[in-house]
Amino acid sequence: MSSMSELGRFAEPSLYILASLGEGPKHGYAIMIDVEAISGTPLGPGTLYGALARLEKRGLIEALEPVDRRRPYRLTALGATTLKVQLDALAGFARIGLQRLRGSAG
Amino acid sequence: MSRLIRFYPAAWRARYGAELEALLAARPPKLGDRLDLMFGALDAHLHPELVAAGARAAAAVPIGHRIPGLAATAGGLLFVVALVGGGVSGAEGWFSWIWVALFLMLASLPGGYAARVGGRVGLGLAAIAASFILAWTLPWGPNVVPAVAAIVLVGAGSLALATVRAGLGRRRRWVAVGLGFGPPAVALLVVAMGIGGQGEGSLVPLALLVTLYGVAWAAVGLVLMFRGSPTFDPEPRGDPEPAR
């Protein structure tokens, strides 16, 4: 399975993009708006397309037929699996971190 | 195309340029976005393999799609040279090249479009033939009105369509069409109303005014030739909106 850490500085934006595509296909602008809503941080257009190119190369997303000049992207099966693994790992990390925080507070 | 996108490698622009341009049209870039695009362009140059792998769906532009741009550019330049040469020297031989130039200009776009949409080849060829016959049969010289009218009327749709196919922004599209047809239309009006007089000498400034038509064609042709990718996309274009 493809490791997100291989994506370097594009790892975090890529995870947001995968999460955005988790609810269905979107084109670049819609991804950008959605990622900003999810993360609270604007996603620059250069970073967005740098991440999209890497995700596409790794087979985590695939491009659909363009509508006008807008080309939607969707998760592949590998992309959905990768997203789930990453989110599970983050959930485990958050759970442990919160438990320890509660432990130190008590 | 946004100047910022031009910093990206050509292969990258062919793959992602149109959609990124649509994105920037929907959300004009702020300073931070511009910097982000500069870094993105640098990254794209450092990692050309990204596009090679992701280019399956990209429309590699066949050389055949660049030929119409070359024809439009050559026609536009020839049009200017013929008019200026004829206007300065007064020799009729120069003006005969205008027919060749008109053929190149008016045939370039329908020809290129027909090459892309195979089912409409007949329509494209008919447009070429109609343009050629109309241009060829209209006399130049003393009867300047019908010739200029042909430039304004026959060429209007072709150049307007060419600016769309070239992917020019609205502002540049209006500039190209305005330069291409405003001055010739004024020249037509002046000649038709007899304001310019009937002497040969009085037609020279008007002929020079019409050269802007050739300049507009040459400029649009250069864009068609070098941009390539979205040029003959037969799909309609609209203002980008989020699609969910």
Side-chain angles (χ1 to χ4, degrees):
Chain A
M1 184 178 300
S2 177
S3 170
M4 298 292 285
S5 61
E6 295 172 1
L7 298 177
R9 75 177 183 92
F10 291 95
E12 187 177 339
S14 295
L15 185 59
Y16 286 133
I17 291 169
L18 291 178
S20 176
L21 295 179
E23 69 172 1
K26 291 189 184 75
H27 59 69
Y29 180 62
I31 294 172
M32 182 184 268
I33 297 296
D34 194 41
V35 166
E36 190 168 346
I38 293 172
S39 67
T41 306
L43 179 62
T47 303
L48 169 66
Y49 275 93
L52 285 175
R54 284 166 170 80
L55 291 171
E56 192 177 11
K57 183 190 176 193
R58 285 164 173 76
L60 301 180
I61 63 171
E62 61 185 354
L64 302 175
E65 285 299 307
V67 179
D68 293 346
R69 289 181 295 171
R70 300 165 301 172
R71 184 187 295 277
Y73 294 87
R74 74 177 169 201
L75 280 183
T76 61
L78 177 61
T81 305
T82 302
L83 175 62
K84 186 173 186 314
V85 168
Q86 294 293 322
L87 294 178
D88 284 344
L90 283 172
F93 172 72
R95 189 173 57 249
I96 292 172
L98 287 169
Q99 283 173 355
R100 292 185 178 180
L101 194 60
R102 280 193 291 269
S104 66
Chain B
M1 179 174 284
S2 168
R3 290 176 186 172
L4 294 165
I5 299 178
R6 290 179 188 160
F7 288 107
Y8 279 89
W12 196 98
R13 291 199 307 271
R15 171 63 183 85
Y16 295 107
E19 52 190 290
L20 181 52
E21 194 174 4
L23 185 152
L24 295 178
R27 196 180 102 155
K30 299 173 184 172
L31 178 60
D33 293 329
R34 293 174 185 277
L35 290 173
D36 187 64
L37 281 168
M38 294 298 291
F39 281 115
L42 178 63
D43 174 68
H45 281 284
L46 292 174
H47 299 96
E49 75 282 358
L50 290 174
V51 170
R56 291 183 296 276
V61 184
I63 189 68
H65 289 178
R66 298 189 189 275
I67 290 176
L70 179 63
T73 305
L77 292 177
L78 184 59
F79 188 85
V80 171
V81 169
L83 267 177
V84 172
V88 171
S89 71
E92 287 191 6
W94 284 95
F95 291 123
S96 61
W97 285 101
I98 288 173
W99 308 122
V100 180
L102 277 174
F103 173 74
L104 285 171
M105 287 187 285
L106 299 179
S108 60
L109 183 70
Y113 190 56
R116 174 68 178 264
V117 285
R120 298 182 184 176
V121 168
L123 183 64
L125 292 177
I128 295 170
S131 302
F132 180 73
I133 291 169
L134 186 56
W136 187 261
T137 53
L138 289 174
W140 184 265
N143 298 316
V144 70
V145 174
V148 179
I151 292 172
V152 174
L153 298 175
V154 177
S158 296
L159 184 56
L161 187 56
T163 61
V164 174
R165 296 294 174 204
L168 295 182
R170 285 183 184 171
R171 185 164 159 266
R172 289 183 179 176
R173 196 180 304 168
W174 280 111
V175 168
V177 175
L179 275 179
F181 295 103
V186 170
L188 174 65
L189 191 64
V190 169
V191 173
M193 294 177 67
I195 299 172
Q198 298 302 316
E200 275 188 21
S202 64
L203 293 178
V204 171
L206 295 177
L208 294 178
L209 199 58
V210 176
T211 58
L212 288 175
Y213 176 78
V215 171
W217 263 108
V220 173
L222 283 173
V223 177
L224 287 168
M225 193 163 47
F226 286 109
R227 179 171 294 183
S229 180
T231 304
F232 295 109
D233 185 351
E235 293 179 346
R237 294 176 177 183
D239 291 328
E241 298 172 357
R244 288 175 182 253

